[in-house]
Amino acid sequence: SRGLGDVYKRQLEFYSKLEYVRCRLNESVEQMLQYSRIKSARNDYLLEKLSVGKIVKEVLEDYEPLLDEKDFMIINKVKDQEFLADKRGLKFMLGQFVSNSIKYSGDEPELIFEFEENTLKIRDNGIGVKQSDLPYIFEKGFTGNTGDYRGKATGMGLYIAKKIAENMNLEINATSPSEGGFEISVVFPVVE
């Protein structure tokens, strides 16, 4: 007979796999909904004062199963800075950045969140983006030369994130050092 420890271990593994699938499914559904939203003739963004730190924490909780599976080290230096944004749109954007860091992670993956002045920076130590691909990463359908990862890429996530940012009057910039890694920054407008 099997011990209770074996049964518990199998249940825990099953639960972990189920959470992984749930997280991926939620991500796909949210991407479809946000795509419909940016294509809509009616802009339904609700700009409200949001704590960027709180939104980052929520996104990290949403992606926890995927981050745990890859054994990510998370460094979150974001405090409670408040800016005007649409919560659903901002969460989707940040989720896309986290998702890409997971997809294109390397050994001993790290994800770092920092906030300076009015700019949120999200940096990873993954495989990065080729310099020749960098100008095109926000174009619809662009997947670049991502090697083994190309099958996982739709070329829609960063495109939708960019459109959402434009609709909220946010600026998105991306850099990828030649030694690897990727950094994306979200610049919030200063509202007096």
Side-chain angles (χ1 to χ4, degrees):
S1 78
R2 294 185 179 157
L4 288 177
D6 289 341
V7 171
Y8 179 72
K9 184 178 175 183
R10 283 197 334 262
Q11 286 176 340
L12 195 58
E13 288 172 359
F14 176 76
Y15 175 75
S16 178
K17 288 177 184 174
L18 194 59
E19 275 297 292
Y20 177 89
V21 170
R22 182 196 61 78
C23 190
R24 282 286 184 211
L25 185 60
N26 281 348
E27 181 182 37
S28 295
V29 169
E30 187 63 24
Q31 190 176 73
M32 288 185 285
L33 291 172
Q34 290 295 335
Y35 182 71
S36 295
R37 192 176 187 206
I38 65 171
K39 290 297 179 188
S40 172
R42 193 173 139 261
N43 187 334
D44 73 340
Y45 291 96
L46 173 62
L47 297 181
E48 58 185 319
K49 199 173 245 189
L50 300 173
S51 164
V52 178
K54 185 177 177 185
I55 299 296
V56 167
K57 285 178 188 173
E58 288 179 20
V59 169
L60 289 172
E61 287 171 5
D62 291 346
Y63 281 86
E64 189 174 11
L66 303 178
L67 292 164
D68 286 349
E69 184 200 27
K70 294 272 187 140
D71 201 25
F72 261 82
M73 178 192 292
I74 307 296
I75 301 168
N76 184 1
K77 299 179 182 180
V78 180
K79 305 292 183 218
D80 289 329
Q81 293 89 348
E82 290 187 338
F83 286 93
L84 288 178
D86 175 78
K87 185 174 182 177
R88 285 179 11 210
L90 185 59
K91 280 186 72 171
F92 176 82
M93 285 172 39
L94 299 184
Q96 286 304 298
F97 307 150
V98 170
S99 177
N100 282 352
S101 292
I102 293 166
K103 281 185 222 171
Y104 305 114
S105 63
D107 297 331
E108 299 179 20
E110 290 181 353
L111 192 53
I112 302 166
F113 293 82
E114 295 177 303
F115 201 96
E116 298 172 2
E117 295 179 23
N118 62 330
T119 304
L120 173 64
K121 294 182 180 182
I122 303 164
R123 185 172 59 250
D124 66 37
N125 64 343
I127 63 170
V129 175
K130 290 183 177 182
Q131 293 302 309
S132 59
D133 287 347
L134 206 51
Y136 308 105
I137 62 170
F138 296 111
E139 290 186 6
K140 184 178 179 179
F142 183 78
T143 58
N145 187 5
T146 52
D148 295 341
Y149 303 96
R150 192 175 192 127
K152 296 179 185 178
T154 63
M156 293 300 289
L158 290 180
Y159 164 76
I160 296 170
K162 180 76 167 182
K163 291 296 182 191
I164 290 171
E166 289 170 359
N167 289 341
M168 289 192 292
N169 201 26
L170 306 178
E171 181 183 330
I172 297 180
N173 299 301
T175 59
S176 186
S178 57
E179 64 271 9
F182 185 72
E183 180 176 292
I184 197 146
S185 61
V186 180
V187 182
F188 293 85
V190 177
V191 179
E192 297 291 329

